[in-house]
Amino acid sequence: MGTAVAGFNHCEHTKPQVCSKQWNSKGWKFQGLAKNLSKSTIHGLMGAYLRDPKGGWHFYWNKKTSTLAHGKTATSKVVKCPKGWEAQGVWDATPGKAGGNWYSAVTICK
């Protein structure tokens, strides 16, 4: 799947397309992005998901839900990306309910 927005990669899915990026600015940082490629408006909660080498899960959710019309994007907050941890952008299509998470492809923190 192509890049949703310049600088973001590791994209998966289409409603929305969920991508991520990492960069080095006084330590490695990570951010997730969701872009609505469908014709209908969608609602959800954007976040970043990191998994430590011991298997611990760490979700960093935005405080407010997003409403995305066709072609619009939402980004997660920027989080530290510890070396060796797995990181993914995550879109929760059903905030407060189980089973609604859509993830970007996994990237390993540098």
Side-chain angles (χ1 to χ4, degrees), residues 66-107:
S66 298
T67 299
L68 303 179
H70 173 74
K72 298 299 181 185
T73 62
T75 54
S76 72
K77 58 179 83 174
V78 174
V79 297
K80 291 180 183 177
C81 200
K83 185 175 183 176
W85 287 32
E86 295 179 355
Q88 293 173 274
V90 57
W91 173 262
D92 184 352
T94 57
K97 298 178 185 174
N101 291 351
W102 296 88
Y103 294 87
S104 66
V106 173
T107 186

Side-chain angles (χ1 to χ4, degrees), residues 14-101:
T14 58
K15 188 182 177 183
Q17 184 178 50
V18 184
C19 306
S20 68
K21 70 176 179 177
Q22 66 173 299
W23 68 96
N24 192 354
S25 175
K26 297 181 183 176
W28 284 95
K29 310 286 192 231
F30 176 83
Q31 186 175 38
L33 170 135
K35 181 175 183 179
N36 184 7
L37 300 180
S38 73
K39 300 269 187 228
S40 59
T41 298
I42 60 173
H43 307 279
L45 189 62
M46 189 65 210
Y49 164 70
L50 278 72
R51 184 165 185 228
D52 67 50
K54 295 180 181 176
W57 300 356
H58 308 270
F59 284 93
Y60 302 92
W61 295 107
N62 289 356
K63 294 198 182 294
K64 295 183 179 180
T65 58
S66 298
T67 299
L68 303 179
H70 173 74
K72 298 299 181 185
T73 62
T75 54
S76 72
K77 58 179 83 174
V78 174
V79 297
K80 291 180 183 177
C81 200
K83 185 175 183 176
W85 287 32
E86 295 179 355
Q88 293 173 274
V90 57
W91 173 262
D92 184 352
T94 57
K97 298 178 185 174
N101 291 351

